[in-house]
Amino acid sequence: MKELDSSNPAIKEANLCLEINPEVTYQTMLGFGGAFTEASAYSLSLISKEKRDEVIRRYFHPEEGLGYRFGRTHINSCDFSLGNYTYVNEGDISLDSFSIDREKQLVIPLIKDAIKEAGQELHIVSSPWSPPPWMKSNGEMNNGGKLLPEYKAIWASYYVKYVEAMEAEGIPLWGITIQNEPEAKQVWDSCLYSGEEERDFIKNHLGPTLHKHGKENLKVIIWDHNRDVVFERARAVLSDPEAAKYVWGTGIHWYVSEEFENLSKVHQAFPDKHLIFTEGCIEGGVQPEGAWHTGERYGRNIIGDLNNYLEAWIDWNLVLNEKGGPNHVGNYCDAPVIVDTKNDEVYYNSSYYYIGHFSKYIKTGAVRVSCQGATEEILATAFRNPTGEIVVVAMNQGEEELLMNLAISGSEAIVDMPAHSISTFLVNG
């Protein structure tokens, strides 16, 4: 974080000018967060209480941490669980056996501790990776398959059961997605939907069931998958008024594509709906300690999405172990925080600090404002906080140090942008 010095005479020597116009406004920011997976909760359970508390504080505390206000949970198991599991007995179409006792062991205690550090309720978005095996065409949770027609109504009721069970634990949910990555046939927990199948499930089953049980205020989020075809998928659902009336917005992941402009296409076609980032991580296991490219990928993606109408941003696993797991099919990944469960050590990756340049300073209720002059090397976004404070986040992903003229409401200042750096500038409104 740097303070502006408008008396610097070197303004004319700047390599570029970043112009901020607080009078031109766009979307309102809801907040940032990460996912409460069983893998994260389990990894934290294997280190000392002191270190566990430190990690939770450094994510959720409003001053000492990243100020996270969002979280994500998995309904049933996901790949970052210790194994496949569901909440009901085999073939129980009544759902009388429904129980989230497994989540009470690790995940729910972690969420409650995070809420305590945050000092307020968190916005929890919950996503299923797969229905129970007996509801699916392939008879298993892994390797894709589809929801069988005869179980669509029961599966819709299953969401309600989960929402009510979490409420009973003192954790009201903010939103749900229809299906994690509905176009991906994975070797882990997965289930396939076409755009039309997702549309019809919402219209004919999930939407009416949520309303019947008084859950109409729950934010229903479609897609929950990559940016590359987000416009086509959003159009398939949101072009149908009977389906769209139940939908709050569209969720995206960052894998495959950095076509950020696709978010603007969705916004322009459906301006009354919302956009939320629901998952992203560095694939391929834990990266070398001190790796910088991981943070830059986070910074580039967050800026790209925010500049195209994104309203909330949720990272994938909050924490992983020294292998990038546990993951029940070996799909190891990196996370902003890695814990060495054997030596009781905690490592904060560059991605953790890059996220903080946004989440600590762009407050809930902040409005994006016009930010012009970015280049291939210098990426930037700007927001006006509810207090009137202007927040500008700029990163230099190039190989050379650059001087940037930052101009806001008629005032100018020269700022130094070292190669491969990120800076957050705060200007009183």
Side-chain angles (χ1 to χ4, degrees), residues 120-161:
Q120 64 183 63
E121 274 187 7
L122 298 176
H123 293 330
I124 303 294
V125 176
S126 299
S127 308
W129 266 243
S130 173
W134 50 272
M135 291 189 187
K136 296 176 65 184
S137 60
N138 65 345
E140 60 171 315
M141 295 188 75
N142 304 337
N143 300 301
K146 287 181 176 283
L147 176 65
L148 291 168
E150 59 266 33
Y151 294 119
K152 288 180 178 179
I154 298 169
W155 182 228
S157 296
Y158 200 101
Y159 292 77
V160 173
K161 288 280 191 180

Side-chain angles (χ1 to χ4, degrees), residues 329-345:
V329 294
N331 180 38
Y332 300 125
C333 294
D334 201 13
V337 178
I338 297 295
V339 295
D340 184 339
T341 59
K342 297 175 182 176
N343 298 303
D344 195 33
E345 296 289 344

